[in-house]
Amino acid sequence: TIFSLYINIPTINNKDEISLYVDDDDKVVIISGEYKNINIVEGNHCIKKLIPTGRFETKIPLPSRIDPTKKVKIEKVDAISLFKITFTKGEGYKKRRLSIE
């Protein structure tokens, strides 16, 4: 009756920094937020910084519909910004913002 999604979101440390939406057919989850800018101070010049910054939005197709009336559970799995997002399967509903537990 539930399924889980694991996602690594660099520079995000708190579930409150993540917004979740579901599309019209309740089978695509939209995860959005904003990567923080990290200032790296080193003695040498930085040739390339591979840390994302700015707004992000990612769409993830799901294997079945979810129930957007149920709260979505987000847990931080470890210290490297890895989150586990747990959804409740459900019937069809219209697009709306998901409540986070």
Side-chain angles (χ1 to χ4, degrees):
T1 60
I2 64 168
F3 55 91
S4 300
L5 164 73
Y6 288 84
I7 185 166
N8 184 358
I9 310 173
T11 74
I12 301 294
N13 296 313
N14 189 319
K15 68 182 181 182
D16 296 332
E17 299 173 81
I18 301 169
S19 295
L20 296 175
Y21 299 88
V22 65
D23 72 351
D24 287 332
D25 69 357
D26 300 325
K27 290 183 74 176
V28 175
V29 167
I30 303 160
I31 301 170
S32 64
E34 188 162 349
Y35 297 119
K36 295 181 194 109
N37 191 10
I38 298 176
N39 293 325
I40 299 173
V41 179
E42 297 179 11
N44 300 324
H45 293 285
C46 182
I47 295 172
K48 182 131 178 121
K49 183 169 72 168
L50 296 174
I51 302 169
T53 59
R55 299 246 350 118
F56 71 88
E57 180 177 283
T58 242
K59 295 179 180 185
I60 301 172
L62 302 173
S64 66
R65 294 179 191 270
I66 65 166
D67 183 348
T69 65
K70 303 284 184 184
K71 289 208 175 214
V72 175
K73 185 175 183 180
I74 299 181
E75 304 170 72
K76 190 163 185 181
V77 176
D78 59 22
I80 62 164
S81 300
L82 182 65
F83 292 89
K84 176 183 178 183
I85 304 173
T86 306
F87 302 95
T88 302
K89 292 182 182 180
E91 302 300 319
Y93 297 90
K94 294 293 177 197
K95 181 178 180 176
R96 65 178 87 176
R97 187 178 179 131
L98 297 172
S99 284
I100 298 173
E101 180 176 285

